[in-house]
Amino acid sequence: MSGHDTTPPTVTRSAHSDGATRASVRAWFGLVLLLLPMLALATDLTVLFFALPTLSADLQPTSTQALWIVHAYGFLIAGFLIFMGRLGDRVGPRRLLLSGAIAFAVLSAAAAFSGSAESLIVVRIALGVAGATLMPSLFSLLRVMFADDHQRRLAIAIMFSAFSVGGAVGPLLGGALLEHFWWGSVFLINVPPMLMLVALGCWLLPERRELISTRLDILSVALSVAGMLAVVFGLQELAAGSETGGSTWSHLGVVAAGAAVLWAFILRQRRHPNPLFDLALLADRRIAVSLTALLLVAIGVVGTFFLFTQHLQLVEGLSPLHAGVWTLPYIALNIAGAMAAPALAARWQRASVITSGLVVAATGAAALVVVIGVGGSLGWLVAAVSLSSLGQGVAMALISDLILSSAPEEQTGSAAAAQEVGGELGTALGIAAGGAIGLAVYRAALSGVPPAPGPAAALDEAAGSIHGGLRTAGDHPTLLEPVHDAISLGFQVYAGVTTVLVGAAATLVAAMLIRRDLATTDSSSSGGGHPGQYT
């Protein structure tokens, strides 16, 4: 799509006294409009955390289906994110954004009225593809709307904050809706903001005039998505093998096949003249280490938060709304950590602050292992999870800055895309790994329960799935305590996994970046520049 004859009022500028251009008031209204899809994207990643038990009671999904319902959306976003960014460069980000918003609204309504687990999974997959059109378009439009550097940075900061808040309040919003409506309401809430975006977008949002004609490498997209989904599917089936009837070796074969496809994707990026992702960016140690840390932390912390929300309902017996209230300290400390990060980086070295934040996050995860092990109260449980969230907030805010500021100016877009893929992939992998490991530990724990608490047939039935175990315990009350203990043990084991993952990320940043950060600061101090930042 080329430029239109009329330029939308959003791009109207007024001259600033120092010669810099300033965005019009209407541009800021356009930013508010862009917050709608960002909030919808973020809440849709986590809103099912509390809706899953209610949804499962209605649709009766298997354990594997329940995992796919939750995280198929996030994996498809991650798989298509870079491709959609390139597509927006060809057809125009506004056209792609509004087209994706229409699809997202229609699919959200379809998800709300899904009549089976299978149909909901299909819709969630399609929602992921539609969602992938939104985020790269948002950031591309910000560059058109805000020419002034300071205003653009503020707009980007507001957008990132909206994504963080949306993801954090998703479970709380889901809990509040489930207090009064059926589970489909968690999908229907996405329809009004998307329709508003479509209605006002043509007026408030500009289209970019400079578009590219570079061919899109569809084979690279297919390789990345197919490889990623094969790996995740294989891992899920390993955890739920007895229910699906497949053998362990066949599931391992699926994982290996997926890894091979992903390797083929990497090889193609090296040779292709127009790769979906420029692997040369990873030659910069700061970018490579930051992306690795981002992925490790997301897998650990997001998976822990997912199991935490399930624990509040399934073990503590809280309603969805009350469980959502207990997540507020987690949300508040995560935001507080992110907001404090810039001030901390101004006082101390950036890499040192990142390492310290990761150490705090790992300490919170380790404390969670202890609290669950000693049967601590709900208050102590929330305190440990929230401590981990505080450290994660500090570290992730600065890791994002490190990725973007370390890339060459002409490759900032590629670096931003890599960051988004890492975040989306880490979130989806965290939910998948948390669910799979939690289920595997749950089954192993129940297999060791002696027959005394209940009939052997009841134990076998309870071991099929967590929700099935709770239903079985309703008929055989003597099984309730073993089922609760097994769920808690899965949560505890994954908190231990998180401690290792986040600790590894902290060690990586400390070993690879702190010394270089100090050296760069010394250079900046002697030759100009800003302390604590790379030049």
Side-chain angles (χ1 to χ4, degrees):
M1 176 178 177
S2 58
H4 295 293
D5 292 335
T6 20
T7 301
T10 313
V11 296
T12 303
R13 312 287 180 188
S14 58
H16 195 240
S17 56
D18 60 3
T21 55
R22 308 284 289 180
S24 68
V25 173
R26 191 161 295 191
W28 292 103
F29 279 109
L31 175 63
V32 173
L33 186 65
L34 289 178
L35 293 179
L36 298 178
M38 181 61 81
L39 289 169
L41 279 171
T43 56
D44 223 42
L45 281 168
T46 57
V47 72
L48 284 184
F49 284 7
F50 284 149
L52 186 59
T54 304
L55 183 154
S56 297
D58 187 11
L59 298 184
Q60 299 291 312
T62 65
S63 298
T64 299
Q65 288 174 334
L67 290 175
W68 276 108
I69 287 172
V70 172
H71 65 68
Y73 168 79
F75 272 103
L76 267 295
I77 285 183
F80 279 91
L81 193 59
I82 294 179
F83 165 68
M84 291 300 180
R86 294 294 296 272
L87 181 61
D89 289 337
R90 284 177 59 90
V91 304
R94 186 180 70 173
R95 174 186 285 183
L96 184 64
L97 175 70
L98 299 184
S99 300
I102 294 173
F104 202 91
V106 172
L107 291 168
S108 294
F113 296 100
S114 296
S116 66
E118 293 82 1
S119 63
L120 183 56
I121 291 171
V122 171
V123 174
R124 288 284 285 174
I125 289 173
L127 269 171
V129 177
T133 68
L134 304 179
M135 192 173 294
S137 301
L138 297 176
F139 287 100
S140 181
L141 285 173
L142 290 182
R143 296 187 182 97
V144 180
M145 296 162 61
F146 299 95
D148 179 78
D149 288 342
H150 296 290
Q151 288 189 324
R152 186 174 64 252
R153 289 167 189 157
L154 176 59
I156 291 174
I158 292 172
M159 196 66 70
F160 273 118
S161 298
F163 186 82
S164 299
V165 171
V169 303
L172 182 61
L173 178 62
L177 289 170
L178 292 174
E179 285 288 307
H180 304 287
F181 306 102
W182 96 113
W183 59 263
S185 61
V186 302
F187 296 109
L188 284 181
I189 58 171
N190 292 325
V191 175
M194 290 299 172
L195 294 181
M196 185 179 300
L197 173 63
V198 173
L200 299 178
C202 292
W203 177 51
L204 288 176
L205 304 176
E207 183 59 283
R208 197 176 66 196
R209 295 182 181 275
E210 299 79 14
L211 303 177
I212 65 171
S213 57
T214 304
R215 290 185 59 187
L216 297 173
D217 184 24
I218 303 301
L219 180 57
S220 290
V221 178
L223 288 173
S224 64
V225 175
M228 184 167 57
L229 292 180
V231 169
V232 176
F233 177 78
L235 292 175
Q236 285 184 3
E237 293 302 294
L238 283 172
S242 61
E243 190 168 36
T244 60
S247 68
T248 299
W249 289 110
S250 66
H251 299 151
L252 287 173
V254 173
V255 175
V261 172
L262 289 177
W263 180 248
F265 167 77
I266 292 173
L267 293 178
R268 184 168 179 81
Q269 301 317 291
R270 289 177 175 175
R271 297 192 300 262
H272 202 278
N274 297 299
L276 284 177
F277 177 67
D278 186 0
L279 296 176
L281 279 174
L282 299 182
D284 189 310
R285 177 186 299 181
R286 296 163 296 181
I287 295 177
V289 170
S290 298
L291 287 174
T292 303
L294 173 67
L295 186 63
L296 290 174
V297 174
I299 292 172
V301 174
V302 173
T304 297
F305 184 64
F306 171 64
L307 293 180
F308 171 59
T309 61
Q310 299 298 290
H311 182 90
L312 291 176
Q313 295 181 89
L314 303 180
V315 177
E316 300 293 339
L318 299 178
S319 69
L321 181 58
H322 289 161
V325 171
W326 277 101
T327 67
L328 288 177
Y330 176 98
I331 297 170
L333 286 183
N334 186 261
I335 295 173
M339 297 299 293
L344 293 174
R347 185 174 179 85
W348 292 287
Q349 303 301 324
R350 181 168 47 178
S352 299
V353 177
I354 293 173
T355 302
S356 299
L358 294 176
V359 169
V360 171
T363 301
L368 186 58
V369 174
V370 175
V371 170
I372 298 174
V374 301
S377 66
L378 179 57
W380 283 109
L381 193 75
V382 172
V385 172
S386 300
L387 178 63
S388 186
S389 174
L390 173 66
Q392 185 230 10
V394 172
M396 290 301 100
L398 294 179
I399 283 177
S400 175
D401 173 64
L402 185 56
I403 293 171
L404 296 177
S405 64
S406 299
E409 184 176 355
E410 68 274 11
Q411 292 184 297
T412 303
S414 294
Q419 173 187 277
E420 293 302 323
V421 168
E424 296 285 354
L425 184 59
T427 296
L429 277 172
I431 299 172
I437 292 176
L439 177 60
V441 173
Y442 167 83
R443 286 177 167 168
L446 283 188
S447 67
V449 173
L459 273 175
D460 292 340
E461 184 180 350
S465 68
I466 292 175
H467 298 288
L470 292 171
R471 289 193 298 268
T472 303
D475 298 328
H476 303 278
T478 55
L479 289 177
L480 185 59
E481 184 176 351
V483 167
H484 281 175
D485 289 344
I487 296 172
S488 298
L489 181 60
F491 186 19
Q492 183 185 31
V493 168
Y494 197 79
V497 172
T498 299
T499 304
V500 174
L501 290 174
V502 179
T507 303
L508 181 66
V509 172
M512 302 296 289
L513 296 184
I514 287 183
R515 182 175 298 177
R516 180 168 181 168
D517 201 5
L518 288 169
T520 307
T521 299
D522 292 339
S523 173
S524 298
S525 299
S526 61
H530 300 283
Q533 294 190 356
Y534 295 103
T535 55

